[in-house]
Amino acid sequence: MAVGIKIRELCFSYGSQEVLSEINMVVKPGDFIGIVGPNGSGKSTLLKNMAALLRPTRGAIEINSTGIEDYKRLELARLIALVGQDQQPGFNFQVEEVVYTGRYPYKERFRPPAGVDRQAVERAMYLTGCYHLKDRDLFSLSGGERQRVFLARALAQETPVLLLDEPTAFLDMGYQVELLQLLQGLNLREKLTVVAVMHDLNLASRYSRKLVMLNRGKIFARGSPEEVLTRDHILEVYRTEVLLEPHPMGGPPQIIPISPPTGRKGRERGRKIHVIGGGGSATGIINQLFLKGLTPSAGVLSIGDSDWVTARRLGLEMVEESPFSPIGLEQHRKNLGLVADASLVVLAPLFLGPGNLLNIEAALWGLEEGKTVLVLEPSSAGRRDFTGGPGGKLYQRLVEGGALLMEQFDLEKIDALLATGAG
Ligand code: ADP
Ligand code: MG
């Protein structure tokens, strides 16, 4: 049976504390929706409302166009199963007995367990990998094993909709992936509708087709994982800065928190640093500055080279040039603009060819304009010069013009420089 859920203007309060406000959400048959959001944002409360364990303070939940409150309890239990967060066993049943309790919505006629019940129970235990536990006492199981037993009980309920509250919370990595793949398989093959609160954003984005992000009891964002899990959204809602990296095997990007998190105190905006690099020479420098809470600009970088990838990943302001093309005048002009805005210009130890001489010209121009220019690895400049002369001369002028020279990029020293009022 196809079951759709419509949530309209739902508000919910525990006493006087409003925990959910104005939630509008549609669950269509066959959906796989992940609900994400920080601790206390109302995820569990939303799920409990959808399972009719809690009653909305205002607004409505409709199951197939009928108000959820109009369903009899057992009738609803044949449509929607819930695996709660941190579910505690009431009694020390054996595993198989617990899974059998999932069959309660079908016991209206007080019949003894029938073949269909046994089949459902055995299948559920088999799918969730707890068949071998069937004679064990629930209290003797680990948190992860128990979690699988409660999932088995929900699957034995054979409902078209499954609500899960942090189903992978106590599971090790292998079981996390296995469980989500199991749910994905049931979703794809048997059209099981899945709504899962998920605490791990990477798993949420990998397995959900749609995401809903809650923040302080409101829907903050919804859509595809890529639409919802942006750096800006995560920064605002989780107050943590992250990188989004392509997963090497495809699929949605991986979310990597940056440590130490700069999100809470915010990125430094005051001091401006412009890094001139290319070909990977500036990647370490840019990353170190970024981790320090500084947001450098960068230029002129060839589209696709590793410095360009670094700058783009961090969302830096940068000047880019087509691959394998010499720096054009337009790009050079933009680069000078960023140099002009900066208080410190860092020249990375780049390889010099006729195509990127203008990068050195830009640094030299900065120096002449009175900027602090830091030249890195000056001792190897000769070995990095493939211009047949002009590159070396420009380096010479930088040195003579009073650029700061540094063999190894050293943030402490730069801090000292900045503290003494560079630029
Ligand atoms: P989440 O699952 O996103 O962590 P919850 O839905 O569990 O959030 O909780 C949302 C808010 O409601 C929190 O501030 C929490 O403290 C509060 N809350 C949860 N359950 C109760 C309850 N039974 N009584 C009072 N407040 C509660
Ligand atoms: Mg919760």
Side-chain angles (χ1 to χ4, degrees):
M1 182 187 186
V3 172
I5 303 175
K6 192 177 267 177
I7 300 173
R8 279 190 291 121
E9 310 280 311
L10 178 139
C11 301
F12 182 86
S13 307
Y14 292 107
S16 63
Q17 185 202 3
E18 184 159 272
V19 167
L20 294 173
S21 44
E22 307 286 317
I23 303 284
N24 288 293
M25 186 176 153
V26 173
V27 180
K28 295 197 180 114
D31 267 347
F32 194 131
I33 299 181
I35 299 178
V36 297
N39 294 333
S41 56
K43 305 181 297 294
S44 295
T45 305
L46 178 58
L47 224 53
K48 285 176 189 163
N49 273 275
M50 290 167 75
L53 296 181
L54 295 173
R55 255 200 133 115
T57 316
R58 270 183 292 133
I61 299 180
E62 287 172 4
I63 316 283
N64 285 354
S65 310
T66 301
I68 195 167
E69 66 284 355
D70 293 336
Y71 284 87
K72 293 202 190 79
R73 206 171 64 87
L74 291 185
E75 208 181 350
L76 194 64
R78 289 193 289 264
L79 303 180
I80 298 177
L82 169 74
V83 184
Q85 183 177 27
D86 193 15
Q87 209 150 336
Q88 295 299 331
F91 296 95
N92 193 13
F93 286 118
Q94 284 182 346
V95 165
E96 190 173 18
E97 294 173 313
V98 175
V99 180
Y100 256 107
T101 61
R103 299 299 297 168
Y104 75 94
Y106 305 97
K107 296 261 169 67
E108 280 176 307
R109 282 147 273 144
F110 301 105
R111 56 173 172 76
V116 283
D117 297 316
R118 185 161 45 254
Q119 264 177 19
V121 166
E122 293 197 344
R123 175 171 179 272
M125 289 195 298
Y126 172 75
L127 284 174
T128 52
C130 50
Y131 201 90
H132 66 290
L133 302 171
K134 74 187 178 69
D135 298 322
R136 293 268 300 274
D137 287 343
L138 200 54
F139 286 178
S140 75
L141 303 181
S142 73
E145 289 168 336
R146 229 176 261 176
Q147 190 122 346
R148 275 149 50 210
V149 172
F150 286 121
L151 176 64
R153 180 173 73 173
L155 290 179
Q157 211 173 316
E158 293 193 314
T159 55
V161 179
L162 188 55
L163 308 177
L164 304 128
D165 198 347
E166 303 202 14
T168 61
F170 296 104
L171 303 181
D172 67 41
M173 192 189 266
Y175 275 121
Q176 285 184 357
V177 171
E178 207 167 284
L179 183 144
L180 287 165
Q181 255 159 5
L182 166 65
L183 293 174
Q184 192 175 49
L186 293 170
N187 171 257
L188 293 172
R189 283 194 311 275
E190 300 178 18
K191 304 278 173 282
L192 175 71
T193 306
V194 177
V195 181
V197 169
M198 279 197 271
H199 143 107
D200 182 314
L201 295 182
N202 282 315
L203 291 176
S205 87
R206 203 156 181 76
Y207 288 95
S208 316
R209 274 197 302 275
K210 297 179 193 164
L211 283 183
V212 171
M213 185 185 260
L214 289 185
N215 190 31
R216 298 159 192 263
K218 292 200 168 85
I219 293 184
F220 180 86
R222 72 175 94 216
S224 68
E226 283 88 346
E227 286 166 337
V228 171
L229 297 174
T230 65
R231 289 179 68 203
D232 286 348
H233 287 171
I234 295 170
L235 181 60
E236 183 160 349
V237 170
Y238 291 86
R239 288 179 291 149
T240 300
E241 193 159 33
V242 296
L243 296 183
L244 296 179
E245 288 293 275
H247 192 289
M249 312 293 275
Q254 288 288 292
I255 297 153
I256 302 167
I258 294 178
S259 157
T262 46
R264 277 161 213 274
K265 53 179 161 42
R267 297 218 131 250
E268 179 144 3
R269 303 262 170 227
R271 313 187 283 205
K272 280 199 146 184
I273 300 178
H274 182 60
V275 180
I276 295 173
S281 62
T283 289
I285 298 165
I286 289 172
N287 283 337
Q288 283 189 64
L289 289 169
F290 198 83
L291 285 175
K292 261 246 149 159
L294 298 159
T295 313
S297 54
V300 175
L301 305 178
S302 284
I303 292 172
D305 96 358
S306 55
D307 285 343
W308 176 86
V309 170
T310 301
R312 196 182 59 155
R313 155 202 297 158
L314 301 177
L316 302 185
E317 187 174 3
M318 70 165 149
V319 187
E320 51 185 26
E321 181 54 274
S322 312
F324 305 110
S325 304
I327 294 172
L329 283 178
E330 174 70 5
Q331 274 62 32
H332 181 49
R333 203 181 50 73
K334 285 188 195 157
N335 204 21
L336 294 183
L338 292 177
V339 169
D341 285 344
S343 53
L344 174 70
V345 179
V346 179
L347 179 63
L350 35 67
F351 282 91
L352 268 186
N356 65 346
L357 266 182
L358 284 177
N359 262 345
I360 311 286
E361 296 269 13
L364 197 54
W365 181 82
L367 194 64
E368 284 158 2
E369 290 291 303
K371 302 288 172 186
T372 304
V373 176
L374 179 67
V375 175
L376 285 161
E377 294 185 33
S379 68
S380 67
R383 271 175 282 135
R384 290 185 275 105
D385 180 14
F386 294 88
T387 62
K393 292 209 179 81
L394 290 172
Y395 257 99
Q396 193 66 31
R397 284 173 61 194
L398 278 169
V399 173
E400 286 163 3
L404 299 167
L405 308 178
M406 198 179 267
E407 276 310 317
Q408 261 209 316
F409 185 70
D410 183 337
L411 275 176
E412 311 258 305
K413 278 194 200 158
I414 292 171
D415 263 353
L417 285 177
L418 294 168
T420 55

